[in-house]
Amino acid sequence: MKRALVAAALSACSSGPSQSERAPPSVHLVVRAKAGSGLSLAGSQIEPTTSLLGLRTSADQLELDVRVGSPSVTVTTPSTCPAEVDLGDAGAGETRSVTLQPWLSIAGGDLTQIGFDAPFTVTLTPGCRDALASKVEWSQTAGEPVDLQVEQNGFVVRGRTRPLAAPTPWGIVPLSPRTRGEVELTAKSGKHSLKVRVSAAARASGLPSLALSQRVLLGGSGWRVRERAKDGKAEIQPAGSLQSFQPDARGRWVLEDREKRELSLVVGTHSDTLLDCGRSDCHAQATAGVKSSRMTHVFERGLRGQLMRYDASCALPCHTAGEPGLPDGGFTQVLGELGHSGHFELKPEAWNELPRALRRLGGVTCTACHGPGAIPEPAARWAVLRTDVCATCHDAPPRYGHVAAWNATRMAQADRDERARREPACRGCHTTAGFLDRIGARKDTGPTTPDLELGIGCAACHAPHAEKQDRALLRVLPALKLPDKAKPSRICVECHSGPDASAATLLYDHDSPGAHADVPKGCVGCHSGEAASLEARGRNHSFRSNPARCTQGCHAEGVPAAETRLRERALAALRALGGRVDPKRPLHAGTLPKPSDPKRREALESVRLVLADPAAAIHDAKRTRALLERAEALLGLQR
C-alpha cells in the first residue's frame, strides 16, 4: 500500500462510480487536531487511498467517507504522529473519530514568566514511539543569545534568561516583546520541528489594570500589600534587585512602597470584563471611533484573507486580547477551553464561523490596551499616555521597530528638562498630556508624576478613539497653509511652526514657498527614517531625514551642501540685538532681548524664525536668506 496526499485521494474519489450508480456504503470518519496544539491539517496523508470515497475539510477537522469493509485507515500530517483507526467492525453510516497527536509537544510548566536572570527547563513529550526513538536538535531562532544545555537525547533543554536592563521606573515596570527577555527556540526531530518561546516575564503596559495571575515587576523599594481584594492572599515577592506581585484574586488591590506612596491596582480577566464601554453615559464617542479603527478589525480582516501573508496563529498575541500562556480569560485561553486546535483557515467566512466568545476577544479591543481589570482610577489615568502601552506590540524589532526608532528621537526626550515637564507654557509641546490639552483632545491635569519622563509619545499623534483618523490612525487636525499633498504632516505642524519652532512656518506660511514645500507628504516625505537595522514597519518613527530619498527624486546629481554661513549670519544679528544662544538649550528656552524700537523688533522676529529651525538653510534657503537680508538691513549690518 502507498501513502498519498489528500488532494491525490480526492482525485481517486472522482474516478469512482457515476451519479447514476448507487454510492457504495461508507463509514464516516472525523479527524481532529489536538485542542490547543495549533496543528494544521493541511498536507494530511491517507493510507490506503483506495478506501477513501469522499472528503470534506475545515480549519479544525477532516471528514472522511471510508469504504465499509476497510480494515483500517492511517492518517497523518507533516506535524503529527500517524494515527491508525481500526474500522474492521464499523457498519455503514457509523461515525468514528480520531484525534491526531503532535509529533512533539511541550510538557507542562509556565514558560512565560520565568523571571530575569533565572534558570529554565523545557521538556518535550513525544506523541508516539517513532517520535520517542528520534533525536531532537535545538537551535535558537530569535532573541538575545542564551547558552543551551541539551540532555536526554534532546528531549530536555536548559538555559538561563538574561538579566533585566536598568534603570526601571517607579511602579509597574513596563515590558515589551523587546524588553521582556523572550527567546525563541526551535526543536527539530527528523522532518518535524517545533517552536518554543521562553520569556522572563509577561508583557506589561505599566497600567495599573492587571490580568489575574499576571506577574509584574515593581520599581521602587519596600513594597507591601496594604489592601487585598476579596479572598486574595498574594504577597510581594523578591525579584532580584526588584520586587514582584502576582495577584490571585479579582478586584481592587492597594500596594504601598517604603515612602508610603500608593499604587492602586484593579485585577480582572478579559472574558469577564463587560465590554459595555460605549454606553451613552460613558465612552460613547470613543467607542464610535474604535468601531471603525483598523486595529479593532485587524484579526477579522486577517481571517477573511484580506491581509497579505497573514499568519493568524502568530498574530494572536497582538491582534487579539490577552497574553498567550496566561490564564487571563484572553482569546488564547478561551480558544483552548472551546477545544479549538489553534489553527485557522483563512477564508471569507472564517470570522463568522468563530464562536461569539472568540469574536468578542478578537481584534484589539478596549481591554487589550486598557487592561482587563477596569479603567484606572482618575489619579492613575496618566499612565495610558505612556508609549509603553503601544510598545507591548510595537516594540518587537526587527519586525516592529516603531518604539525603538522613536526612542532615538528628541521627541522621546522632550520633557527631560524639569521645566519642560512642569511649566504650562512648555507642556503644550514638550509633554503628551500638554499637547492633547492644547488641541482640545484631553484635559491636562499637570505632571502627576513629575519625576517620570514620557516624552511626546504615540498618543500625541495617533488617536485610536477618534472618529476622524487616517490609515495610520493619525489625528486629523486643521493645519497651517499646507498644500493637499502635505496633509499627512499636519500633526507635525502643531508644534513645528511659529516663532519657537519655525520649520513649517519657513516652508509653508508665506506667499512664495520654496521647492521643499512641494515634497509629497510634507515633512514625513523627507523625514522618513534611515535606520537600516529595522524593517519597513516603524522605521519612519526615527523621523531622521533620509538622503536616499533626495537622490531618488529631485537631487539625482547629489544633495547640495547646506549653507552653514546663513546660521552664522543669524547668530551675528542676534548678538547685535543683545542676545545669544545657549548651545545646550533651544532658543526659546533662553531669555531673548525685548527691543523697544520697531525696526529692531522686526529684525528680532526675522532672526528668531531662522534660529528656531536648526535646518532652516535646508528647509528653505531662499526664504532664510530673505529674512536675514531684511534683519541685517534693519540693523545696519554689512555682510
Side-chain angles (χ1 to χ4, degrees):
M1 291 185 292
K2 187 176 182 182
R3 290 186 176 184
L5 293 176
V6 165
L10 285 174
S11 177
C13 294
S14 65
S15 62
S18 65
Q19 294 181 358
S20 62
E21 298 177 11
R22 182 179 180 182
S26 63
V27 178
H28 186 55
L29 176 61
V30 179
V31 181
R32 298 186 179 91
K34 183 179 179 181
S37 65
L39 295 175
S40 167
L41 297 180
S44 298
Q45 294 178 319
I46 313 297
E47 179 190 338
T49 59
T50 53
S51 298
L52 189 62
L53 298 176
L55 178 145
R56 293 168 297 281
T57 180
S58 66
D60 261 40
Q61 66 182 33
L62 300 174
E63 296 183 46
L64 312 177
D65 294 324
V66 182
R67 190 184 304 273
V68 170
S70 301
S72 66
V73 172
T74 301
V75 184
T76 188
T77 77
S79 53
T80 64
C81 292
E84 184 176 356
V85 186
D86 184 3
L87 300 175
D89 60 346
E94 187 175 343
T95 298
R96 297 285 178 91
S97 64
V98 62
T99 299
L100 299 182
Q101 298 296 320
W103 183 264
L104 294 174
S105 59
I106 306 170
D110 183 5
L111 298 177
T112 61
Q113 303 185 105
I114 291 172
F116 287 92
D117 196 18
F120 66 83
T121 300
V122 179
T123 302
L124 299 181
T125 300
C128 51
R129 291 183 178 180
D130 289 344
L132 178 61
S134 68
K135 180 179 180 180
V136 180
E137 297 179 349
W138 288 89
S139 62
Q140 182 176 346
T141 46
E144 294 189 14
V146 296
D147 293 328
L148 299 176
Q149 295 82 48
V150 180
E151 303 172 5
Q152 299 183 27
N153 213 29
F155 283 90
V156 175
V157 66
R158 304 182 191 277
R160 192 175 191 90
T161 59
R162 66 171 179 80
L164 176 66
T168 53
W170 181 88
I172 297 173
V173 177
L175 293 170
S176 69
R178 177 178 61 87
T179 60
R180 68 183 292 200
E182 182 180 71
V183 297
E184 180 186 85
L185 309 176
T186 298
K188 189 173 182 181
S189 170
K191 62 181 180 180
H192 304 277
S193 64
L194 175 69
K195 291 188 181 298
V196 181
R197 293 186 179 274
V198 179
S199 303
R203 295 175 299 173
S205 66
L207 295 178
S209 175
L210 302 183
L212 187 68
S213 79
Q214 178 185 1
R215 183 185 298 119
V216 292
L217 295 175
L218 300 172
S221 62
W223 288 97
R224 72 180 187 90
V225 178
R226 198 180 75 191
E227 296 179 24
R228 287 180 169 79
K230 182 181 179 182
D231 299 326
K233 296 180 176 59
E235 296 284 358
I236 304 295
Q237 300 294 331
S241 60
L242 301 177
Q243 293 174 284
S244 69
F245 177 65
Q246 187 172 16
D248 60 352
R250 299 174 179 84
R252 183 173 182 267
W253 296 73
V254 179
L255 312 184
E256 185 179 77
D257 72 357
R258 193 183 306 280
E259 281 72 42
K260 306 296 182 182
R261 286 185 292 182
E262 179 183 295
L263 180 61
S264 177
L265 310 175
V266 183
V267 177
T269 61
H270 293 277
S271 56
D272 290 340
T273 301
L274 295 176
L275 295 181
D276 58 350
C277 308
R279 288 182 299 177
S280 60
D281 56 339
C282 292
H283 307 284
Q285 184 176 353
T287 303
V290 166
K291 285 182 178 179
S292 62
S293 169
R294 293 171 60 81
M295 292 200 305
T296 304
H297 302 286
V298 62
F299 189 65
E300 176 183 350
R301 288 184 288 123
L303 287 188
R304 292 185 187 277
Q306 297 172 1
L307 302 177
M308 294 180 62
R309 299 186 298 275
Y310 193 76
D311 184 342
S313 299
C314 179
L316 293 183
C318 285
H319 289 181
T320 66
E323 182 81 354
L326 289 185
D328 59 2
F331 187 95
T332 303
Q333 184 189 5
V334 174
L335 191 75
E337 291 174 348
L338 294 176
H340 197 288
S341 71
H343 175 75
F344 302 90
E345 183 180 0
L346 308 186
K347 55 184 180 179
E349 62 273 20
W351 173 258
N352 294 334
E353 290 178 354
L354 285 181
R356 182 177 181 276
L358 291 178
R359 295 200 306 271
R360 180 177 178 272
L361 297 164
V364 185
T365 62
C366 304
T367 63
C369 293
H370 290 278
I375 299 296
E377 296 177 355
R381 289 179 189 169
W382 61 269
V384 78
L385 299 182
R386 301 169 89 159
T387 297
D388 305 297
V389 176
C390 305
T392 55
C393 289
H394 292 277
D395 187 24
R399 190 172 186 183
Y400 296 100
H402 304 76
V403 176
W406 173 84
N407 271 326
T409 69
R410 291 185 180 182
M411 293 176 64
Q413 305 171 21
D415 58 354
R416 177 161 293 183
D417 185 281
E418 184 178 358
R419 179 182 169 190
R421 289 198 304 274
R422 290 180 176 275
E423 294 190 10
C426 303
R427 288 178 58 79
C429 274
H430 285 268
T431 69
T432 300
F435 176 77
L436 295 178
D437 182 54
R438 175 181 169 180
I439 64 174
R442 177 187 174 112
K443 180 67 176 175
D444 183 13
T445 57
T448 54
T449 55
D451 297 330
L452 188 62
E453 302 163 16
L454 302 180
I456 297 294
C458 311
C461 300
H462 299 277
H465 299 152
E467 292 187 48
K468 292 183 179 181
Q469 52 190 226
D470 74 355
R471 180 181 175 86
L473 306 186
L474 283 172
R475 296 183 183 278
V476 176
L477 300 174
L480 188 74
K481 296 179 181 178
L482 287 183
D484 287 342
K485 65 175 61 179
K487 289 299 174 64
S489 294
R490 55 191 157 195
I491 194 72
C492 312
V493 174
E494 287 295 323
C495 283
H496 293 276
S497 62
D500 293 334
S502 59
T505 303
L506 287 174
L507 272 171
Y508 302 113
D509 197 18
H510 54 98
D511 296 330
S512 57
H516 283 160
D518 202 40
V519 171
K521 296 186 178 181
C523 312
V524 296
C526 291
H527 291 267
S528 57
E530 57 178 358
S533 62
L534 301 175
E535 291 185 1
R537 294 181 181 92
R539 179 176 60 185
N540 58 348
H541 281 59
S542 70
F543 304 113
R544 296 186 181 124
S545 59
N546 187 349
R549 297 289 292 272
C550 307
T551 56
Q552 293 168 1
C554 303
H555 301 286
E557 303 301 322
V559 181
E563 297 186 47
T564 56
R565 173 82 177 106
L566 294 179
R567 184 166 181 83
E568 294 173 3
R569 288 168 58 188
L571 290 171
L574 182 63
R575 287 193 295 270
L577 287 163
R580 68 182 185 85
V581 172
D582 183 345
K584 296 182 180 180
R585 300 172 69 87
L587 180 67
H588 63 268
T591 302
L592 292 173
K594 298 179 180 179
S596 58
D597 180 67
K599 290 185 178 180
R600 293 177 68 84
R601 283 202 302 271
E602 183 183 345
L604 178 62
E605 290 172 6
S606 296
V607 171
R608 186 177 182 180
L609 282 175
V610 173
L611 292 178
D613 178 9
I618 298 174
H619 287 148
D620 194 335
K622 179 181 176 181
R623 169 77 167 150
T624 300
R625 281 195 298 270
L627 288 168
L628 289 177
E629 288 169 0
R630 177 59 177 166
E632 290 166 343
L634 291 169
L635 295 173
L637 297 177
Q638 295 182 352
R639 286 195 289 151

